[in-house]
Amino acid sequence: MVVGEMVEKRDLMVIGGGPGGYHAALRAAQLGKQVTLIEQGEIGGACLNEGCIPSKILTHFASEFRKQGHLQKMGMVMGEASIDLAKLKSFREEKIKGLRAGVEGLLRSRGVEVINGTASFLSENRIGIESGHQFSLFEFKQAIVAIGGKMVYPPGISMESPFVLTEREALTMTEIPEGLIVSGHDYVAIEIAAAYAALGSTVTLLMEGRLPFDQSIEREMKRILKKQKVSVVTEVKIMSVSDDGGVEVDYESSAGTRQVNGTHLVLCGKSEADLSRAGLDRLPLECEGGKIKVDGEGRTSIPGVWAIGDVTPGPGLAIKAIKEGKVAAGAIAGDKGEVDLEWLPAIVQMDPPVACAGWSEEEAENRGYEVVCSEYPFRANGFAGLKEETDGMIKIVSEKGTSLILGIHMIGSGAVELISAGVLGLEMAARAEDFTFPLYPHPSSNEALMEAVEELTGHAVHLQRRRKKAVQ
């Protein structure tokens, strides 16, 4: 130590103010801990400021824009609608600022000390924080690493072209692109493609693999996207990209080598852990697959150092980071908890949205289950009919003989809200009767879930069936 060096002592330090970090800080403060939260950028992290919230503003805007015809049909008189992206930008900035201020207010109200600066581990129990020209040294009892990940893009493609955008840049475009090519591997690419198609772009979606859902949902997604004039190509490998006043993309798929042209290309990256940040490479942390190995409550191999979010194994999702943050904070305060990602819901905020939890039919069979499945179309639901939102379906995967629910897969209006009932049922090891016994609001989309489960035994009331001819 340098003579005269001042070391400040802290109880719990949380490095990173994204969704995982600020939830951890708030939960620990609720449980009586003195908490210091360090964030080098804006509170809320990439999710609130650049990713989750901006993307959902775009998808919500596109969904509302698509409803014009239905509203006019009902009798709502309006002039010809147009798109003002400058106003959308102002709306987006206002909402982000408001949400961020709300989180900052919560942190203040809980007595969480917030330091704006760049944190770096100096040893297993010391952190240095650089803020402008000031450097401070802290000694901690416990620390939670919540620094998020870094976005990695396909090699060999120049990101300097004005016609090649990242997924976050695509959320803030100042004009609707005439011909948009979206390349990606998950829900982000699908959401961007569907949103801009609704706003008038001609869209080609190049997916690295299959659409990552049960095959029945995948088929319905492809049908709906085709109806919305999104050209979908799956299991794609991009060979080259050239730009000269637009973009040309050469790619390989099961159909062979093809070329697609457009005005812009959006490349959706993958979130990976960057263990060179925050001085993590100075610590003897046990890792697996390039990420920090943790137990079910977030403990690392170093006593007193915890890790959550994108730096730990599993998908780079805010919902995962939030759960891990709460569990780690609780464990530090003496509570018992566990992070179990088995029934993690998968969501796509396209129109209509996709929401799935549990195992697909194929996954259940691969795990050794003999399954019974049902499919229930939203067109059979009266509430969906009056809203003219009849695209989509619900698929239930259950175990034959026991009616244990193994998976619930939806695409349709209200699916994101409905899936919470499905997640709860999966967590409680529900059987079909646990879904069909309760009373459901009428009329509502909820009844579609009930009838999808009833259809496991062929008892969905609102599905038409061919009447069997009487035997003479």
Side-chain angles (χ1 to χ4, degrees), residues 38-39 115-119 128-136:
I38 308 112
E39 169 56 50
I115 300 175
N116 184 250
T118 302
I129 301 177
E130 186 177 355
S131 182
H133 297 295
Q134 183 178 349
F135 183 82
S136 305

Side-chain angles (χ1 to χ4, degrees), residues 240-255:
S240 66
V241 175
S242 58
D243 68 285
D244 183 12
V247 287
E248 290 183 352
V249 179
D250 293 299
Y251 65 89
E252 285 185 352
S253 70
S254 58

Side-chain angles (χ1 to χ4, degrees), residues 127-162:
I127 287 174
I129 301 177
E130 186 177 355
S131 182
H133 297 295
Q134 183 178 349
F135 183 82
S136 305
L137 184 61
F138 294 85
E139 187 172 286
F140 60 83
K141 294 180 182 177
Q142 308 280 346
I144 299 177
V145 179
I147 62 172
K150 65 175 180 179
M151 299 306 293
V152 178
Y153 298 93
I157 300 176
S158 172
M159 305 297 292
E160 302 301 319
S161 169

Side-chain angles (χ1 to χ4, degrees), residues 175-243:
E175 60 182 25
I176 303 298
E178 182 180 343
L180 185 65
I181 305 166
V182 183
S183 172
H185 64 284
D186 63 1
Y187 71 98
V188 176
I190 302 170
E191 288 181 352
I192 291 172
Y196 277 107
L199 299 178
S201 297
T202 299
V203 180
T204 300
L205 174 60
L206 304 178
M207 292 293 290
E208 187 177 297
R210 284 178 41 200
L211 298 182
F213 299 99
D214 181 277
Q215 290 185 10
S216 297
I217 299 298
E218 180 185 22
R219 282 194 300 270
E220 183 68 356
M221 287 179 72
K222 285 182 175 179
R223 184 191 71 80
I224 291 172
L225 288 168
K226 182 179 180 180
K227 179 180 174 182
Q228 296 174 357
K229 300 188 179 348
V230 178
S231 176
V232 181
V233 188
T234 58
E235 299 179 282
V236 166
K237 180 181 179 182
I238 292 181
M239 307 302 293
S240 66
V241 175
S242 58
D243 68 285

Side-chain angles (χ1 to χ4, degrees), residues 45 84 233 261 263 281 359 362:
D84 187 337
V233 188
N261 301 314
T263 57
D281 50 359
W359 305 330
E362 183 180 7

